[in-house]
Amino acid sequence: MSISSILDQLYEELKPSNCTLVAVSKTKPIDVIMEAYNHGQRDFGENKVQELANKYEKLPKDINWHMIGHLQSNKVKYIAPFVHLIHAVDSEKLLATINKEATKNNRTISCLLQIHIAQEESKFGFSPDDLDNFLNETDFSKYPNVRIVGLMGMATNTYDENQIAAEFAVLKSLSLKYSALNQKHDNIEMKVLSIGMSGDYKVALKLGSTMVRIGSTIFGARSYP
Ligand SMILES: *Cc1c(COP(=O)(O)O)cnc(C)c1O
């Protein structure tokens, strides 16, 4: 199937829930990304800073670039001038750096907090307890040039749809719980729930996803992760 017809099929599936498709283009060349762009796709996701910055240079400037991977503080400066949404903020240090680089660029940068919901070991993402501490104890007025617009998570890589649904449900309930903070802080507006990849986006849609990150279904398998 062509990229265009796969995109059309995904748009149909996402339309009822008004869910945004982030086309994950990591490892894929410019001409392939342009095929999706020419079909109307504008949101693209990358997980490496260097690759993201290179593609930003070469591709049309009306693309919304999503940084979906782990981000090191010392690399924020390379994407701060243009990044649309950073999906994987998991420390105050990173948030502070994003605020600093956003200020230098005279921008406000939107961010999602990454939450660790999977059973698999991972160094990245807040645990639900850490999230609670972070949200209740951080002085967000120190970071006027960032905007926390929601949560992001990855489910366990399993065929067990009940387990995936249970993990996504945890994230959904955290998102509801902390939307109470929207009234308390100028720069918190919990509304985005970034859940769902090629293998589990249908489950994610049922659990209230507002943003799916889909790569291999659109562009085919990658030669490296
Ligand atoms: C690669 C990646 C995706 C897309 O994965 P697919 O299985 O190819 O759809 C989504 N989210 C993150 C964080 C990724 O690194």
Side-chain angles (χ1 to χ4, degrees), residues 65-77:
W65 285 108
H66 297 248
M67 176 61 197
I68 62 171
H70 176 66
L71 179 57
Q72 287 171 279
S73 295
N74 61 0
K75 292 189 175 169
V76 173
K77 56 180 179 282

Side-chain angles (χ1 to χ4, degrees), residues 186-209:
D186 287 340
N187 49 357
I188 298 185
E189 187 190 2
M190 292 287 175
K191 58 180 178 182
V192 176
L193 193 55
S194 171
I195 50 173
M197 317 184 4
S198 291
D200 56 21
Y201 76 90
K202 287 173 205 276
V203 182
L205 282 175
K206 285 186 202 146
L207 272 297
S209 175

Side-chain angles (χ1 to χ4, degrees), residues 105-142:
N105 286 281
N106 221 342
R107 307 183 64 213
T108 299
I109 296 180
S110 294
C111 300
L112 304 178
L113 303 176
Q114 183 179 3
I115 316 301
H116 182 67
I117 48 171
Q119 229 163 47
E120 293 143 351
E121 284 292 318
S122 162
K123 297 192 291 283
F124 307 126
F126 290 101
S127 70
D129 283 347
D130 292 344
L131 176 70
D132 199 67
N133 290 333
F134 174 74
L135 286 174
N136 288 317
E137 284 161 29
T138 302
D139 177 6
F140 290 101
S141 67
K142 288 195 297 192

Side-chain angles (χ1 to χ4, degrees), residues 38-216:
N38 287 331
H39 193 65
Q41 179 63 26
R42 288 296 179 272
D43 289 85
F44 291 89
E46 293 282 337
N47 69 340
K48 294 206 166 72
V49 165
Q50 191 61 53
E51 189 172 347
L52 175 52
N54 286 343
K55 285 174 174 173
Y56 166 75
E57 285 299 320
K58 294 188 181 128
L59 283 154
K61 294 297 172 280
D62 63 342
I63 287 177
N64 296 326
W65 285 108
H66 297 248
M67 176 61 197
I68 62 171
H70 176 66
L71 179 57
Q72 287 171 279
S73 295
N74 61 0
K75 292 189 175 169
V76 173
K77 56 180 179 282
Y78 301 113
I79 60 171
F82 66 87
V83 70
H84 176 71
L85 179 62
I86 296 176
H87 284 235
V89 174
D90 63 358
S91 70
E92 183 171 359
K93 176 174 177 243
L94 179 56
L95 194 76
T97 308
I98 295 169
N99 181 68
K100 189 178 82 186
E101 297 298 332
T103 308
K104 278 189 202 161
N105 286 281
N106 221 342
R107 307 183 64 213
T108 299
I109 296 180
S110 294
C111 300
L112 304 178
L113 303 176
Q114 183 179 3
I115 316 301
H116 182 67
I117 48 171
Q119 229 163 47
E120 293 143 351
E121 284 292 318
S122 162
K123 297 192 291 283
F124 307 126
F126 290 101
S127 70
D129 283 347
D130 292 344
L131 176 70
D132 199 67
N133 290 333
F134 174 74
L135 286 174
N136 288 317
E137 284 161 29
T138 302
D139 177 6
F140 290 101
S141 67
K142 288 195 297 192
Y143 310 121
N145 286 56
V146 295
R147 196 165 177 80
I148 295 173
V149 297
L151 304 178
M152 176 272 213
M154 277 181 278
T156 303
N157 186 9
T158 170
Y159 290 109
D160 182 353
E161 288 199 358
N162 292 326
Q163 184 180 349
I164 294 168
E167 291 171 358
F168 285 155
V170 169
L171 210 59
K172 171 74 185 172
S173 69
L174 291 172
S175 152
L176 283 174
K177 175 176 175 192
Y178 292 114
S179 61
L181 295 176
N182 295 0
Q183 277 79 46
K184 244 177 96 180
H185 302 283
D186 287 340
N187 49 357
I188 298 185
E189 187 190 2
M190 292 287 175
K191 58 180 178 182
V192 176
L193 193 55
S194 171
I195 50 173
M197 317 184 4
S198 291
D200 56 21
Y201 76 90
K202 287 173 205 276
V203 182
L205 282 175
K206 285 186 202 146
L207 272 297
S209 175
T210 70
M211 192 173 272
V212 290
R213 311 174 310 271
I214 298 184
S216 45

